[in-house]
Amino acid sequence: MRPHETEQVGLAHGGAFRLLADASATGGTLGANVLALAEGADGAAPHHHSRSAELFYVLGGTAEFFLNGTLTSLEQGGLVVVPPGMPHAFGAAPGVRAELLVVLVPGVDRFDYFRALGRIAQGLDSFDSLLPLQERFDVHFLDPSAWRSARRG
């Protein structure tokens, strides 16, 4: 994949997904994207994946990860692997941008999910539109209250 061949999906406050490889392009082996987050922006509210593990590599900035109820910060070069079934959430640390390489193994075709998140960020759709699609995208949403509380400090 050459950089000019990737699709960009804009998010709030200048953040964006760069879609690298969907599962259908890798024989189901993996899915990959790069996620740029604005200062302090949430990347994903609490959720889990029942069929896949998710790897996060911090390319730049500092990211916060809420892993099974524990908040952890990682700077550039940090790595997190989330096994199937583990509740997790993530975002850029307060006052800092973050850029993450995200790999889902085995892959699930999720580019349409990221496009939907872009529409939600632009106010063109609501988060509730994703609720019926949780199984399709293997993104199972959880109560966000503990994540929000941990982020507020």
Side-chain angles (χ1 to χ4, degrees):
M1 175 69 63
R2 292 176 174 81
H4 69 276
E5 297 171 335
T6 61
E7 179 180 347
Q8 302 280 333
V9 176
L11 297 173
H13 310 292
F17 285 104
R18 189 170 58 208
L19 306 181
L20 301 176
D22 219 354
S24 56
T26 66
T29 304
L30 60 87
N33 69 84
V34 172
L35 175 58
L37 295 169
E39 290 183 6
D42 282 352
H47 65 284
H48 76 272
H49 307 288
S50 61
R51 302 185 306 264
S52 300
E54 195 165 27
L55 176 146
F56 298 89
Y57 180 76
V58 182
L59 296 169
T62 303
E64 290 186 330
F65 295 90
F66 194 59
L67 305 169
N68 215 17
T70 301
L71 190 65
T72 301
S73 292
L74 288 176
E75 296 177 347
Q76 182 176 347
L79 176 77
V80 170
V81 177
V82 180
M86 178 185 275
H88 62 286
F90 58 92
V96 181
R97 298 180 57 85
E99 185 174 34
L100 306 168
L101 171 64
V102 184
V103 180
L104 194 71
V105 178
V108 173
D109 279 326
R110 290 178 51 198
F111 281 10
D112 284 341
Y113 171 74
F114 300 131
R115 292 176 185 121
L117 290 175
R119 288 191 302 276
I120 291 166
Q122 296 171 28
L124 302 174
D125 216 338
S126 72
F127 180 80
D128 289 347
S129 67
L130 293 176
L131 297 179
L133 304 173
Q134 293 178 84
E135 188 62 35
R136 174 182 168 196
F137 296 124
D138 191 25
V139 178
H140 306 277
F141 303 110
L142 303 168
D143 180 1
S145 57
W147 162 243
R148 289 180 183 146
S149 178
R151 293 272 280 173
R152 284 193 295 270

